[in-house]
Amino acid sequence: MLTILIVEDDALLLDALTGQLLQLGYGVHTASSVPQAIALLQAQAVDGIILDLGLPGADGMELLVWVRGHIAGLPVLILTARDGVEERVRGLNAGADDYITKPFNMQELQARLQAMLRRARQPAFTHAAGGAQGVFTTLGPLAIDHASHTAALHGAPLDLTQREWELLELLVQRCGEVVTREDVLAVWRASPAESGAAAAPVNSNALEVYVHRLRRKLDPSSLSIRNIRGLGYMLAKP
Ligand code: CA
């Protein structure tokens, strides 16, 4: 199955495109900003990108430049409201494989995408420095890579200790369900002890401290860790 990354900040259009591509049998990843897209590409192999140029913060053209510097041969289809000849030339000069302007016809987009992927037919790409493909989970603004034990929030890497990482991974894997204190302590006991100043005994008090720290790190997001009285914790679905 070919996997496409759609980078688009218009939620309605993103939903429509995602639905169409899933129906056509593609795997789909989505991002709504350049940093989010880069974080995803660093951890996840994709076969092509549909890229909107008008994005909040950084221009989509910046992602195109980044892709050309980091992932050889990954095809990029630019999708934008800008229909000026200058923009079109700029995009193609920066290495876009094709260019389609909004409003567009979904069938035309499909045809262009299929043609672009045929031309580029190669095995799935991974980030140049990424090595083996990671097992990756995204939850709203949070992206976690189970292989490298790293996480990013809104595209920015989260600085996590080993126990914070283990706690976060468990909460994400069981998002929307109660994770009991005993579940977390069992994972911690099974893993090597944390070293240095971060080391703390494995007990319920330590768990409260780690939950508190993790909440602060997740604070600039819609993700919240709820206390479930007498039982444990639950990461609420964003
Ligand atoms: Ca846009």
Side-chain angles (χ1 to χ4, degrees), residues 173-186:
Q173 281 169 337
R174 291 169 50 187
C175 177
E177 297 169 29
V178 176
V179 175
T180 67
R181 291 165 181 277
E182 196 43 49
D183 291 339
V184 182
L185 297 178

Side-chain angles (χ1 to χ4, degrees), residues 32 36 138-143 152-154 158 168 172 175-176 214-226 234-238:
S32 56
Q36 218 184 356
T138 56
L139 195 64
L142 177 71
L153 192 65
H154 295 296
L158 276 179
L168 178 64
V172 167
C175 177
L214 197 53
R215 277 194 182 121
R216 285 194 0 208
K217 292 183 183 182
L218 294 177
D219 188 36
S221 78
S222 52
L223 296 164
S224 68
I225 302 171
R226 296 195 185 143
M234 183 173 85
L235 184 64
K237 286 190 175 152

Side-chain angles (χ1 to χ4, degrees), residues 39-186:
L40 200 141
L41 289 168
Q42 283 176 328
Q44 182 69 47
V46 303
D47 301 285
I49 300 179
I50 296 176
L51 173 64
D52 178 33
L53 287 188
L55 295 166
D59 190 283
M61 203 72 85
E62 289 178 32
L63 180 65
L64 179 58
V65 170
W66 185 90
V67 166
R68 286 294 162 258
H70 290 80
I71 311 173
L74 180 61
V76 177
L77 173 64
I78 285 184
L79 179 66
T80 179
R82 301 171 199 179
D83 56 359
V85 175
E86 256 182 47
E87 278 300 328
R88 191 179 289 252
V89 169
R90 232 181 101 216
L92 294 172
N93 279 345
D97 296 85
D98 205 351
Y99 202 111
I100 194 164
T101 52
K102 298 176 191 171
F104 58 89
N105 174 296
M106 199 58 89
Q107 269 154 5
E108 190 192 356
L109 176 81
Q110 282 171 23
R112 297 265 197 107
L113 179 65
Q114 276 161 7
M116 179 181 87
L117 293 171
R118 250 198 320 272
R119 287 195 299 271
R121 189 62 57 94
Q122 284 173 48
F125 298 93
T126 52
H127 179 236
Q133 183 181 340
V135 182
F136 200 70
T137 304
T138 56
L139 195 64
L142 177 71
I144 74 172
D145 183 341
H146 302 277
S148 65
H149 292 196
T150 53
L153 192 65
H154 295 296
L158 276 179
D159 184 20
L160 299 172
T161 67
Q162 182 188 316
R163 284 198 185 143
E164 286 168 354
W165 158 258
E166 288 162 352
L167 174 61
L168 178 64
E169 185 181 42
L170 196 57
L171 287 166
V172 167
Q173 281 169 337
R174 291 169 50 187
C175 177
E177 297 169 29
V178 176
V179 175
T180 67
R181 291 165 181 277
E182 196 43 49
D183 291 339
V184 182
L185 297 178

